[in-house]
Amino acid sequence: MAYATQDDITTLYSEDALYVADRDGDGVADASAIARALTSASGEIDSFLGVRYTLPLPVQEGEIASDLLVQFCVDIAIYRLALARDVLSEEHRRRYEDTIKHLQKIADGKATLNLAGPVDPETGETTAPSTPRPIVAGGPDREFTRAKMRGL
């Protein structure tokens, strides 16, 4: 499921931003190309968020995603569409790079999504905020330690 829709693109950047999705040159944006780009962008976002959050992300009733995820999805999708059509501008590149930097900060634990926690069905209230998963590192004991290697 994509974090954004074609309507989100027009809401954020106006109808003019869809020129990057005009595949046949008739002046009308190709809706299927936009849908593919948004789905692909959502997958790219998930590749960063999956490090810290359990996927799929919790979604509030009637809401697709947080405003931040919508913005990220739109910026990545527009970048990919512009790149495919060979109309990439410096603004497209800057927005994409800023988005990737922020997603990397989220993956590194230096930023968060501020997602609301699950809603309690009895009270209808949010129970606890969603928190990132801790990074757990472990493995078997070391084979070659200083003590074992002493005298060799």
Side-chain angles (χ1 to χ4, degrees):
M1 181 172 100
Y3 290 121
T5 63
Q6 183 172 340
D7 291 338
D8 292 323
I9 295 173
T10 57
T11 299
L12 290 170
Y13 296 122
S14 82
E15 193 75 32
D16 296 337
L18 295 176
Y19 77 93
V20 297
D22 182 11
R23 294 291 183 239
D24 52 8
D26 64 354
V28 178
D30 183 5
S32 63
I34 294 170
R36 280 190 310 273
L38 290 170
T39 301
S40 175
S42 298
E44 189 171 347
I45 291 168
D46 283 347
S47 72
F48 285 94
L49 299 183
V51 173
R52 289 276 175 184
Y53 294 92
T54 302
L55 298 175
L57 294 173
V59 177
Q60 299 298 326
E61 193 172 317
E63 181 181 313
I64 294 176
S66 73
D67 292 338
L68 186 61
L69 289 177
V70 171
Q71 181 72 51
F72 288 167
C73 188
V74 166
D75 287 342
I76 292 171
I78 288 177
Y79 172 81
R80 296 285 183 215
L81 288 166
L83 192 62
R85 189 154 174 259
D86 203 23
V87 292
L88 186 66
S89 70
E90 189 56 37
E91 182 179 357
H92 294 139
R93 182 181 307 282
R94 184 183 45 79
R95 285 181 185 165
Y96 174 76
E97 289 172 353
D98 289 348
T99 296
I100 295 302
K101 284 178 189 174
H102 197 104
L103 285 169
Q104 188 61 53
K105 285 181 184 178
I106 292 171
D108 292 342
K110 296 177 182 174
T112 185
L113 287 177
N114 295 326
L115 297 175
V119 177
D120 184 355
E122 295 177 10
T123 63
E125 295 180 5
T126 302
T127 55
S130 177
T131 57
R133 294 185 321 213
I135 295 178
V136 180
D141 291 336
R142 293 181 58 169
E143 286 291 322
F144 300 101
T145 62
R146 290 181 191 257
K148 289 180 183 178
M149 298 300 292
R150 197 164 283 136
L152 292 178

